[in-house]
Amino acid sequence: MNIALIIENSQAAKNGIVHDALKSVVDPLGHTVHHYGMYTPEDKAHLTYPMIGILAGILINSKAADFIVTGCGTGMGSNLACNAMPGIFCGLVIDPTDAFLFGQINDGNAISMPYAKGFGWAAELNLQDCYRKLFEVERGVGYPKERAAVMAENRGVLSKLKEASCKDMLTVLKSVDQNLLKTAISGEKFQDQFFPNSQDQEMSDYLKGVLAS
């Protein structure tokens, strides 16, 4: 699984804590982490939470990533921005129980976490425990198990609702503020990580044009 990590600008100083906690859990499971920034508070490309939504939409819809791990101060802004994009089903995860239940019941493709609110002593242990509850077990099997079929049916209904209420991602990219889009994809490692992994040539070509403009 390709997991994309995205850190919002106000929490960039915690990049190392989040990145290390994620890799310590998923590397032994054979997953790959692609870090799309921010890396330090001094990065030239400052990612706001609306930009995180755009990035998440690009990465999931192009199949450059299978799962998004992101967050901001409360986790709320990034969660809202991700869920505004087609094909993104993002859960707000604060503790390991949230992570487990989101994975078992909702089986989405993104999580947003609070990296300021409640982020105190031993916060890295909470991050690791959340990632374990999410990635070490099979997702989507239901909880409680006897309601698994109903939960799977509801996920399908929600997916169809999303399709009906959202435009396709390329249309979204062409419709949004192009300066906002260009800033969102201007991170120092975006091109090296995205273009080799993207499976949507039309979207890749469009983004290359945006970057060259």
Side-chain angles (χ1 to χ4, degrees):
M1 180 189 296
N2 284 333
I3 301 171
L5 175 62
I6 313 172
I7 304 288
E8 185 251 2
N9 59 357
S10 73
Q11 303 305 308
K14 299 187 178 97
N15 161 63
I17 296 172
V18 178
H19 182 247
D20 292 349
L22 179 60
K23 285 184 65 66
S24 71
V25 172
V26 303
D27 280 0
L29 300 173
H31 302 314
T32 301
V33 175
H34 296 286
H35 191 351
Y36 284 87
M38 292 177 61
Y39 310 102
T40 73
E42 290 75 37
D43 286 5
K44 291 182 179 179
H46 274 243
L47 294 175
T48 62
Y49 71 79
M51 294 176 190
I52 286 176
I54 292 172
L55 269 178
I58 290 170
L59 296 172
I60 291 295
N61 285 281
S62 68
K63 297 183 172 57
D66 303 301
F67 201 95
I68 305 292
V69 173
T70 189
C72 53
T74 65
M76 295 288 190
S78 296
N79 183 54
L80 290 169
C82 287
N83 280 316
M85 295 294 112
I88 302 291
F89 298 91
C90 184
L92 178 65
V93 169
I94 298 173
D95 59 37
T97 303
D98 291 337
F100 177 77
L101 293 176
F102 175 68
Q104 297 302 299
I105 297 171
N106 308 109
D107 192 22
N109 51 19
I111 61 167
S112 180
M113 302 187 74
Y115 297 139
K117 180 179 179 289
F119 200 90
W121 185 69
E124 75 280 3
L125 300 182
N126 181 63
L127 291 175
Q128 291 169 1
D129 287 342
C130 287
Y131 300 145
R132 289 190 185 99
K133 288 295 186 181
L134 193 61
F135 295 115
E136 283 186 350
V137 297
E138 181 184 357
R139 298 202 311 275
V141 298
Y143 185 89
K145 295 289 181 65
E146 59 267 23
R147 288 186 52 79
V150 173
M151 293 169 180
E153 181 180 354
N154 285 335
R155 289 196 300 272
V157 171
L158 181 60
S159 179
K160 290 179 181 178
L161 283 173
K162 187 85 166 183
E163 289 178 5
S165 63
C166 288
K167 302 173 183 177
D168 67 275
M169 194 62 204
L170 185 59
T171 299
V172 171
L173 295 179
K174 292 179 178 179
S175 302
V176 299
D177 183 303
Q178 297 299 284
N179 289 327
L180 182 70
L181 172 58
K182 186 173 183 178
T183 302
I185 62 174
S186 292
E188 61 182 89
K189 297 181 182 179
F190 176 84
Q191 297 188 57
D192 292 339
Q193 295 184 128
F194 173 73
F195 292 117
N197 289 295
S198 171
Q199 298 179 41
D200 190 312
Q201 190 60 51
E202 193 173 4
M203 194 184 303
S204 294
D205 290 343
Y206 185 77
L207 293 177
K208 287 177 182 178
V210 170
L211 287 167
S213 63

